Amino acid sequence: MKTTLKPIYLTQLHPGDNCKVNKICAGYNATRRLYEMGLNTGANIKVVKNDIGPIILSLSGNKIAIGRGLAEKIIVEN
Amino acid sequence: MNTIALVGNPNSGKTTLFNALTGSNQRVGNWPGVTVEKKEGNFKFNDVVYNVVDLPGTYSLGSFSEDEIVARNYILKGHPNVVINVVDATNIERNLYLTTQLLEMGAKVVIALNMIDEANTKNIKVDIKTLSQKLGTPVIPTVASKRKGIDKLIDEAVELINKDIDYKANISYGENIDKEIKSLKGLLSKKNLDYPHQWIAIKLLEGDEYIYQMLNENDTLKNQIGNYELEIIDKRYEFINNISNLTVKLPEDNKETLTDKIDKIITNKFLGLPIFALIMFAVFELTFVIGEDLLGGIIGTGIEILGENLEQLLIYLSSPIWLVSFFTDGVISGLGAVVEFIPLILVLYMLMGFLEDSGYMARAAYVMDNIMKALGLQGKTFISMIIGFGCNVPGVMATRTLEDKRDRMIAILINPFMSCGARIPIYLLFISAFFPNNGGLVLFSLYSLGIIVALLVAKIFSKTLFKGEPSYFIMELPPYRLPTPRNVLRNMWDNVSEFLKRAGTTILIVVTMLWILAILPMGVEPYSQNSLLGGIGTFIAPIFEPAGFGTWEASVGLFSGIAAKEAVVAILGMIYAGVEDGVQLTQAIQTAFTPLSAVSFMIMTLLYTPCAATLGTIKKETNSYKWTIFSAVYSFVIGWIMAVLVFQIGSLLGFS
Ligand SMILES: Nc1nc2c(ncn2[C@@H]2O[C@H](COP(=O)(O)OP(=O)(O)OP(=O)(O)O)[C@@H](O)[C@H]2O)c(=O)[nH]1
């Protein structure tokens, strides 16, 4: 079963990595906003930048910056 | 009258389209959240006038932030005849999310598929016909910035107004939810409601507080209904993906765009902040070089000539002395002192408009997020602060995009520390009197000081008055665009015309009132310490003694600055230039102040009580007299403390 694997968090990925959103464990409002911005279950995202400061993602070519605190709560899968 | 509402995601080109439709002047910016209030304009088509309302850019029509509520309420209660939904063609999926919500509301929708030029360059292919079929709405490709497709869009919108169709979005939310919707609709059918039942049912399932309140339902209903919100969002996206799979083809290879390359440098962890500082410094330096060295003086000379001629004309017409005095000492010296700074303001706003339109501002917010977070705020707050540089009124209003109440209160309270355009004349006057060779540096330092004080105060607030977790940061980074001259010029004109308008209304009134105070009681030497005005100043002056400018003149200036910041220079112009003919205001300032007291005075004007218009806006946005009064008082105290500190420490160090 997939769920027995250790979850991967968005913050663990490197620039250039592609992944899919699996689950968001943030607060209710933040989760909703992420969903509405297109980061809903199954969305394909690419990490553009991940060093200090907010993580920059590319969602079908459009960039979104997400604060680290929030990015730590986004579980992804390859 | 027929009304057309414009709805779209932030940065989809809504404001640009609004301008293309109405030809009216609107503020346009290439960053999320510039349009915070609804704006209206109109156009004529076949002899019929159509009203156009530009609603705030939102990602959704929930009841999440103030912006969303404004947009949603207008669509529901304003009963627009048709809604033009601006969809960014380079980002169709996310933009269609808003569209699905419009369809759920049962609105008549025309889609303006905007930025189609950019989609073409990016090799994004859209099958417009199928898209229109699947959504059941007309889809018109447009390039708002080049006014392409606008006529066709108007045609379609007008046609739809006169058509009587009642289309329904065929979104399936999955068996479970569909069933719930059905049973809720059954429940609702007994009620007489203004809004479509289908929509209300969906909103109830999404747990929309606002709708629960509207229905005046007790909690039993709420407890009966499950919350399916995230599932519903997923289903909407499923609906969208099904359509976009058929109609949108993204390019295979994601090659590095120019935006990516620029971003690598500008958002770099080491370079980001220095670049931001450098850009802001360059803006102020250029403002001086172009605004003062190249254009400066022209207007000043013009006003002088105008003043002299007007005086002669009035005397020639044998007008009463008081009338001559009113125009020369009051209007010309007062307003003239303000108007003289227009070239500088023109240049500053042209440069700011250029930055805004290029997409850089969103990066500035990104770069600042680290610092902001350390202070218990988030990067987006910085956007409202930068808008405050123009004027604190829109700056305070721009805080509406902050979803967190705590963030928002802090952002409102610190906004007045952002040095607005009206304060520029004060600095410029003192710079030309004392620091003519370091103008850019002084201006840059003052702006920086404003930011630093704002951030420190924010830190204190977030630890004391507004405790809590810092809210999350989510922000779009729009692609860089070469600013269109039209947008840049419009931004500049908006700010300058606002400045002129204020000069012609508020400032004129203030100047007139001050002039009256200055010549009363009858027979007194105008603008002398014996006048009423002088009395007020003399009364306040001791407060400012420790700050180095405890003169009645300076006090009167600060006093009138609470009505409008421009009045500070106006009143100094009236007092100093009014006394002796031929004495230039700058020279008068040089004798009345020292370089050190000039600095402390500038700091005071930077930080002290916001102007009446800003206080009014704070009252409106916080809906609280308590916080409004708090804002007026605490900033005065901070300004005073800073001015005193600078003056006292400066004196100790041997500056004068
Ligand atoms: N290439 C291209 N650029 C466009 C088009 N329409 C607008 N723009 C640019 O896109 C940027 C954003 O436009 P705005 O009109 O400010 O967007 P908005 O949707 O009103 O944004 P908010 O005010 O934040 O809600 C500006 O720099 C415009 O010049 C278009 O069709 N093609």
Side-chain angles (χ1 to χ4, degrees):
Chain A
M1 278 261 303
K2 223 177 185 175
T3 43
T4 54
L5 289 173
K6 221 173 139 201
I8 310 170
Y9 294 96
L10 188 56
T11 38
Q12 294 171 305
L13 299 184
H14 302 286
D17 287 355
N18 285 294
C19 60
K20 265 190 184 12
V21 177
N22 181 314
K23 195 164 184 273
I24 299 175
C25 318
Y28 191 65
N29 282 342
T31 309
R32 171 159 75 178
R33 175 52 30 121
L34 286 171
Y35 264 63
E36 289 176 346
M37 300 273 291
L39 277 129
N40 56 325
T41 326
N44 285 305
I45 50 180
K46 182 175 155 192
V47 178
V48 175
K49 184 169 184 282
N50 179 11
D51 39 36
I52 56 161
I55 289 190
I56 303 183
L57 297 177
S58 162
L59 196 72
S60 45
N62 299 290
K63 291 183 174 180
I64 299 178
I66 297 179
R68 294 199 82 76
L70 186 53
E72 269 162 14
K73 296 181 180 124
I74 302 175
I75 300 174
V76 296
E77 60 187 46
N78 291 80
Chain B
M1 176 143 44
N2 288 309
T3 311
I4 301 175
L6 279 181
V7 181
N9 279 189
N11 225 41
S12 56
K14 226 164 25 64
T15 310
T16 314
L17 185 70
F18 177 80
N19 290 331
L21 283 172
T22 62
S24 103
N25 291 329
Q26 282 300 308
R27 198 172 158 77
V28 181
N30 184 13
W31 49 339
V34 171
T35 313
V36 282
E37 273 210 317
K38 72 171 206 263
K39 287 168 192 149
E40 300 198 33
N42 58 57
F43 68 87
K44 225 176 180 172
F45 180 75
N46 286 343
D47 287 331
V48 184
V49 179
Y50 295 87
N51 214 16
V52 187
V53 178
D54 186 17
L55 295 173
T58 62
Y59 295 109
S60 164
L61 293 169
S63 50
F64 196 37
S65 67
E66 213 104 330
D67 275 0
E68 289 184 7
I69 295 173
V70 168
R72 181 167 104 178
N73 278 352
Y74 187 78
I75 295 168
L76 289 172
K77 296 182 185 156
H79 300 293
N81 301 73
V82 68
V83 174
I84 293 181
N85 176 202
V86 186
V87 167
D88 177 352
T90 65
N91 198 352
I92 292 186
E93 285 171 24
R94 215 234 8 251
N95 276 254
L96 284 184
Y97 183 76
L98 187 67
T99 315
T100 58
Q101 291 186 315
L102 287 170
L103 296 177
E104 284 169 356
M105 290 168 103
K108 280 187 183 177
V109 180
V110 181
I111 290 179
L113 193 62
N114 198 32
M115 314 249 183
I116 202 77
D117 55 333
E118 271 188 29
N120 283 337
T121 353
K122 282 190 175 172
N123 232 341
I124 299 172
K125 301 224 161 55
V126 190
D127 178 351
I128 291 171
K129 221 171 124 201
T130 318
L131 184 64
S132 157
Q133 260 170 20
K134 292 283 166 196
L135 289 170
T137 65
V139 177
I140 317 297
T142 59
V143 183
S145 51
K146 299 206 179 75
R147 293 165 186 265
K148 279 191 195 151
I150 307 295
D151 294 340
K152 185 90 198 301
L153 184 67
I154 293 178
D155 272 351
E156 285 290 340
V158 169
E159 202 186 311
L160 203 58
I161 289 180
N162 301 321
K163 237 194 245 172
D164 231 359
I165 42 163
D166 182 28
Y167 49 66
K168 296 204 167 49
N170 287 318
I171 305 173
S172 163
Y173 303 92
E175 228 174 286
N176 263 347
I177 301 176
D178 282 348
K179 231 196 269 161
E180 292 266 3
I181 293 177
K182 220 169 173 184
S183 74
L184 273 176
K185 265 163 77 177
L187 266 174
L188 293 168
S189 64
K190 292 177 208 105
K191 298 194 175 201
N192 188 13
L193 298 165
D194 284 346
Y195 313 137
H197 291 174
Q198 164 97 4
W199 181 75
I200 294 184
I202 296 171
K203 286 292 141 190
L204 289 175
L205 292 171
E206 282 187 281
D208 192 301
E209 286 296 331
Y210 195 86
I211 300 294
Y212 277 100
Q213 265 174 33
M214 184 193 82
L215 288 181
N216 232 337
E217 277 297 342
N218 38 26
D219 286 341
T220 41
L221 179 70
K222 201 168 175 182
N223 293 334
Q224 272 170 23
I225 303 176
N227 190 322
Y228 295 97
E229 183 167 27
L230 296 180
E231 235 174 303
I232 291 177
I233 301 178
D234 267 341
K235 289 295 175 187
R236 287 189 188 123
Y237 266 105
E238 203 172 278
F239 169 80
I240 293 166
N241 287 338
N242 286 338
I243 294 178
S244 71
N245 284 341
L246 283 174
T247 55
V248 184
K249 241 179 79 194
L250 295 174
E252 291 284 308
D253 57 310
N254 277 327
K255 60 174 188 288
E256 199 176 51
T257 59
L258 184 63
T259 293
D260 294 333
K261 284 180 198 150
I262 300 176
D263 266 347
K264 275 212 171 118
I265 303 167
I266 282 187
T267 62
N268 180 286
K269 59 177 159 181
F270 302 115
L271 298 176
L273 271 180
I275 290 178
F276 174 59
L278 205 72
I279 289 179
M280 291 323 275
F281 181 71
V283 164
F284 294 124
E285 202 52 48
L286 273 177
T287 301
F288 266 91
V289 173
I290 306 174
E292 178 119 315
D293 299 352
L294 295 182
L295 303 172
I298 299 176
I299 295 207
T301 324
I303 290 171
E304 234 168 79
I305 296 171
L306 181 75
E308 278 160 22
N309 286 334
L310 189 67
E311 188 173 0
Q312 260 151 34
L313 180 74
L314 289 173
I315 293 169
Y316 174 76
L317 293 175
S318 51
S319 321
I321 303 236
W322 66 265
L323 192 67
V324 180
S325 149
F326 173 68
F327 275 103
T328 55
D329 301 341
V331 178
I332 295 283
S333 354
L335 274 192
V338 177
V339 171
E340 222 167 290
F341 296 102
I342 283 181
L344 273 136
I345 286 162
L346 215 71
V347 176
L348 181 66
Y349 285 116
M350 197 186 75
L351 295 171
M352 291 290 251
F354 189 89
L355 280 187
E356 224 177 74
D357 211 31
S358 70
Y360 179 72
M361 290 305 192
R363 272 75 184 179
Y366 171 86
V367 169
M368 286 299 289
D369 186 63
N370 273 332
I371 297 181
M372 301 296 275
K373 212 168 65 194
L375 299 164
L377 291 171
Q378 57 137 309
K380 262 205 281 185
T381 304
F382 201 65
I383 291 186
S384 64
M385 290 166 69
I386 295 181
I387 295 179
F389 279 152
C391 171
N392 299 136
V393 170
V396 168
M397 291 197 314
T399 60
R400 287 184 189 175
T401 53
L402 297 166
E403 287 112 10
D404 191 90
K405 286 275 165 307
R406 180 186 145 272
D407 276 358
R408 184 153 182 240
M409 277 306 297
I410 299 180
I412 289 175
L413 290 176
I414 62 173
N415 200 278
F417 293 131
M418 298 294 104
S419 189
C420 68
R423 276 170 262 185
I424 298 175
I426 310 172
Y427 310 146
L428 297 180
L429 176 64
F430 282 86
I431 285 170
S432 68
F434 293 105
F435 315 101
N437 300 324
N438 296 312
L441 185 69
V442 173
L443 209 53
F444 176 73
S445 311
L446 282 165
Y447 275 70
S448 307
L449 180 71
I451 297 180
I452 292 168
V453 170
L455 294 179
L456 288 180
V457 168
K459 175 82 189 170
I460 295 168
F461 281 169
S462 73
K463 284 269 175 270
T464 54
L465 291 174
F466 306 99
K467 275 188 220 157
E469 286 293 298
S471 64
Y472 52 88
F473 174 72
I474 308 174
M475 198 179 65
E476 234 192 315
L477 299 178
Y480 290 105
R481 300 196 172 95
L482 199 63
T484 56
R486 190 184 285 132
N487 279 353
V488 173
L489 291 178
R490 176 169 285 141
N491 187 24
M492 179 177 93
W493 174 241
D494 278 357
N495 278 297
V496 173
S497 66
E498 192 56 36
F499 187 86
L500 282 174
K501 236 185 275 162
R502 280 168 57 79
T505 52
T506 321
I507 321 282
L508 188 62
I509 294 169
V510 173
V511 161
T512 309
M513 280 176 6
L514 292 172
W515 175 77
I516 294 172
L517 286 176
I519 57 160
L520 289 178
M522 286 303 239
V524 80
E525 159 109 20
Y527 295 103
S528 69
Q529 199 167 359
N530 298 328
S531 65
L532 274 183
L533 192 64
I536 296 173
T538 315
F539 180 71
I540 314 176
I543 307 177
F544 300 117
E545 201 64 58
F549 45 83
T551 61
W552 71 270
E553 293 96 333
S555 309
V556 165
L558 290 172
F559 170 72
S560 39
I562 295 175
K565 300 286 168 186
E566 294 93 332
V568 177
V569 165
I571 195 77
L572 293 177
M574 288 155 71
I575 295 173
Y576 287 121
V579 255
E580 274 172 71
D581 271 353
V583 176
Q584 288 297 312
L585 180 53
T586 337
Q587 282 160 286
I589 294 288
Q590 276 165 346
T591 43
F593 287 81
T594 66
L596 184 61
S597 68
V599 171
S600 65
F601 187 77
M602 283 193 282
I603 290 174
M604 184 71 191
T605 51
L606 166 71
L607 301 174
Y608 85 120
T609 309
C611 72
T614 304
L615 287 173
T617 313
I618 292 177
K619 163 70 188 54
K620 215 172 88 205
E621 297 295 318
T622 59
N623 203 10
S624 145
Y625 279 111
K626 193 185 95 190
W627 286 116
T628 312
I629 294 168
F630 176 77
S631 165
V633 174
Y634 98 95
S635 46
F636 185 91
V637 172
I638 287 180
W640 184 85
I641 292 175
M642 289 296 289
V644 169
L645 276 180
V646 166
F647 185 75
Q648 294 300 338
I649 295 175
S651 306
L652 281 180
L653 295 177
F655 292 102
S656 65

